[in-house]
């Protein structure tokens, strides 16, 4: 999922470079949402691992 967020961020940067504001804004928004979903899932997996006690 982090790879998708980075991909959309790169698309947003390239679109902004060429002046496509709508595409850049949409891609940046998607990248931001995917990044936050990744962070939430990562924290949940860390907590689940800590609670289960596996090393």
């Amino acid at each position: 999922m982090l790879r998708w967020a980075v991909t959309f961020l790169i698309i947003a940067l390239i679109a902004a470079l060429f002046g496509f504001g709508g595409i850049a804004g949409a891609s940046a928004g998607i990248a931001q949402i995917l990044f936050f979903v990744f962070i939430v899932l990562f924290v949940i997996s860390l907590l689940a691992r800590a609670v289960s006690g596996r090393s």
Side-chain angles (χ1 to χ4, degrees), residues 10-51:
I10 291 171
I11 290 171
L13 291 173
I14 291 171
L17 181 69
F18 289 119
F20 297 112
I23 296 172
S27 295
I30 292 170
Q32 186 176 14
I33 290 168
L34 287 175
F35 179 74
F36 285 122
V37 168
F38 168 78
I39 293 296
V40 168
L41 291 175
F42 179 70
V43 169
I44 289 171
S45 69
L46 285 178
L47 291 174
R49 184 177 173 125
V51 169

